Structure formats: structure tokens, C-alpha cells
Amino acid sequence: MLMVKKEDNDSSHTKQKKTMASLFTPSPTTTSSSGDTIYVAAVPLKAAAGPPQLIMSMAYSLNISNLQHFMVLIKPSSPIRQEVLVFDFQPRNPESIEAAISLLSGNLIPGVVLQRRLKNVPRQRCWMVGSSKGNDAMEMAMEFNKSWETDLRVGFHDCRHYTNGLVLYKL
């Protein structure tokens, strides 16, 4: 989860977007031909009905209106494996009231690293950030996941930190 505080000043908002984009912008020399293609995707953060949704509404009322969940997608270069692999870090129980309260309070909660598959790379809210240095980015991601601390704290050790760490880790 990522909390981006909405600001009234348009230039601050533009500057903030440029800063976030620069974290995921590949260098001009990066190509997708050497290994598996690496993407970063973002989805809006949503809460389950009931107390978690009420707490998220409170977050929006506090001008914490741009809540995003970031993840890493790996598109294998192998013609045999066609599915896109998704790696992300989130609360163990993302729809629980505990997760919603931690969003506002900054408390530690149990997290989990997930891996799943998609048929294709999403067309929206997804950016290519480069290619893996090796032939099997999935193996490298699984190696990274073994060392990832799973206590989650929004703003300090969350999906944004996981995404940055995984993209920079030998990929």
C-alpha cells in the first residue's frame, strides 16, 4: 500500500508524480531483449464493506486520497511460459479492520508476499521498467522473497518498498 498525500498546489502534485515516476523509469539503454521483461503496476486501494470501508473513508477525509497498491510483473522471455507472473506484498488479511486501522496509525501488521499469474500484462496503470539481467527473473524474485521481512508498516515497509526492492534486486 502506498499513501500519497493530496496537496492543493498543482505544482507540488506534478512534482510528486515526477518523483514517483522517476523511481520506475528505465534508463535509455534498457531494452527488453536480454531477459524477462519487468513491469510495475498500480491499482487503487479498496476496502471491504463495513468497518474497513468506514476507516478508508476517514483516510479520504484526511486528504489521503491517492491510495495505491504497487506490484511487480514479470513477462517471461521464454516462448514456453506465456503467463505473466505477479509478485506483491500486502497485509495477510487485507480486508480486515486491523489492516484498515494500521493504514491510519502506522502500526505493524502481519504481511505476506504473494505470487500469482495473469494471462497478459494489464493495459492500464502498468509500466515497463526494464529487463532482467539473467535468464530467469522468476527464480531471482523467489530468491528475493525468501529474505523479505513480512511485518508490514504502511509508509515504512509496504508494497512500495517491496516493489522498489524487487526491481532493484538483480532484475
Side-chain angles (χ1 to χ4, degrees), residues 45-57:
L45 194 60
K46 297 179 181 177
Q53 194 172 41
L54 178 64
I55 292 170
M56 289 296 288
S57 294

Side-chain angles (χ1 to χ4, degrees), residues 5-16:
K5 186 175 180 180
K6 182 178 179 182
E7 297 186 27
D8 295 336
N9 186 340
D10 286 339
S11 65
S12 294
H13 185 67
T14 303
K15 182 178 177 184
Q16 186 177 37

Side-chain angles (χ1 to χ4, degrees), residues 89-137:
F89 177 56
Q90 66 181 30
R92 183 168 288 142
N93 298 310
E95 295 185 355
S96 72
I97 191 162
E98 178 186 28
I101 290 171
S102 77
L103 179 76
L104 293 176
S105 68
N107 291 334
L108 283 174
I109 58 169
V112 63
V113 175
L114 298 175
Q115 176 186 337
R116 53 191 176 277
R117 297 178 187 273
L118 295 175
K119 289 189 180 202
N120 297 304
V121 173
R123 294 179 190 254
Q124 296 179 347
R125 305 177 63 97
C126 187
W127 306 271
M128 185 188 126
V129 295
S131 299
S132 64
K133 296 173 189 154
N135 292 333
D136 197 347

Side-chain angles (χ1 to χ4, degrees), residues 11-153:
S11 65
S12 294
H13 185 67
T14 303
K15 182 178 177 184
Q16 186 177 37
K17 279 186 172 182
K18 287 180 182 176
T19 302
M20 283 302 295
S22 69
L23 291 175
F24 303 120
T25 303
S27 70
T29 60
T30 302
T31 64
S32 61
S33 60
S34 63
D36 299 338
T37 308
I38 311 299
Y39 297 86
V40 170
V43 294
L45 194 60
K46 297 179 181 177
Q53 194 172 41
L54 178 64
I55 292 170
M56 289 296 288
S57 294
M58 288 171 36
Y60 284 104
S61 70
L62 294 171
N63 288 329
I64 305 172
S65 62
N66 192 8
L67 301 173
Q68 304 288 310
H69 178 69
F70 288 93
M71 59 198 96
V72 176
L73 286 70
I74 300 173
K75 183 177 181 183
S77 58
S78 166
I80 297 169
R81 286 193 291 175
Q82 293 298 312
E83 292 181 316
V84 176
L85 304 167
V86 180
F87 294 89
D88 72 334
F89 177 56
Q90 66 181 30
R92 183 168 288 142
N93 298 310
E95 295 185 355
S96 72
I97 191 162
E98 178 186 28
I101 290 171
S102 77
L103 179 76
L104 293 176
S105 68
N107 291 334
L108 283 174
I109 58 169
V112 63
V113 175
L114 298 175
Q115 176 186 337
R116 53 191 176 277
R117 297 178 187 273
L118 295 175
K119 289 189 180 202
N120 297 304
V121 173
R123 294 179 190 254
Q124 296 179 347
R125 305 177 63 97
C126 187
W127 306 271
M128 185 188 126
V129 295
S131 299
S132 64
K133 296 173 189 154
N135 292 333
D136 197 347
M138 183 182 82
E139 291 293 325
M140 290 184 239
M142 290 169 62
E143 181 182 316
F144 174 82
N145 290 344
K146 289 178 186 176
S147 65
W148 184 257
E149 174 60 47
T150 57
D151 285 335
L152 188 147
R153 186 173 176 199

